[in-house]
Amino acid sequence: KIRLAIFASGTGSNALNIIQYFKTSDVVEIGFVLSNKQDAKIVNAAREQGVEVVVVSNQEVEAAGKLVDLCRENAIDYIILAGFLRKIPEQLIGLYPDRIINIHPSLLPKYGGKGMYGANVHKAVLENKEKVSGITIHFVNTEFDKGEIIAQFQCVVDEGETLESLQHKIHLLEHANFPNVIKNTIVS
Ligand code: GAR
């Protein structure tokens, strides 16, 4: 089977959705979930699904060694970033060229780069009165948010859209599309 590691920092709704999607797959399986936050919701949620969870410190993420060892020991083929809000160390990117897939809550190259993550993105989209927003699924390279785009999906930003309503729309778009795009990208 093709083995995935999922990195997540927060609620982990995408991570959980991916776990559930591949639960009965004959082709893809989850090796482990990695989080840089002990109290992230995903830590318990993934464990409840019977998935191994590893919690690391931000220093360990930066130092890369532990991440590299974990991926090697678990024979990981692809790394999925599902709301992982730390920079991926170059050493890991070097070991997994075109094998790290990120989801970003905007239509890149718009609203990408430093400081642009999670709710910050939606705030900026609303402030600029954008009429459309969406999500980008892309490979990770050493240039932040600039790796090759695999797929994008759009949604309308309505009159009177709020931060919460936009965030909800984007999450629905992510849940509907991310697992499937992962599958189509890694299973040839
Ligand atoms: C998602 O909307 C994802 O696109 C975003 O964080 C959210 C995590 O939600 N990622 C980034 O901003 C990466 N730069 P979740 O924890 O419920 O999956």
Side-chain angles (χ1 to χ4, degrees), residues 2 15 26-27 29 48 51 61 65 82 103 121 124 129 131 175 187:
I2 300 170
D26 297 330
V27 191
E29 66 186 356
E48 275 167 22
V51 175
V61 173
I103 191 160
V121 173
K129 306 203 182 321
K131 298 272 183 265
H175 297 165
V187 182

Side-chain angles (χ1 to χ4, degrees), residues 77-144:
D77 298 299
Y78 286 87
I79 299 169
I80 309 299
L81 307 182
F84 188 66
L85 302 181
R86 305 293 300 186
K87 203 160 179 283
I88 298 299
E90 292 203 1
Q91 198 189 340
L92 201 59
I93 297 173
L95 283 174
Y96 285 88
D98 288 347
R99 282 171 176 260
I100 306 179
I101 299 173
N102 182 43
I103 191 160
H104 186 84
S106 76
L107 297 171
L108 290 174
K110 282 188 148 187
Y111 306 104
K114 208 165 188 289
M116 278 295 164
Y117 55 84
N120 294 350
V121 173
H122 308 314
K123 259 185 223 154
V125 165
L126 292 173
E127 272 165 22
N128 288 333
K129 306 203 182 321
E130 297 283 359
K131 298 272 183 265
V132 290
S133 190
I135 63 170
T136 302
I137 297 164
H138 67 97
F139 289 117
V140 171
N141 65 15
T142 51
E143 282 183 280
F144 203 56

Side-chain angles (χ1 to χ4, degrees), residues 17-18 21-22 137 150-151 153 174-187:
N17 185 47
I18 294 164
Y21 182 91
F22 289 117
I137 297 164
I150 302 168
F153 300 90
E174 293 182 331
H175 297 165
N177 293 290
F178 196 17
N180 199 35
V181 169
I182 292 170
K183 192 181 94 191
N184 291 338
T185 305
I186 69 178
V187 182

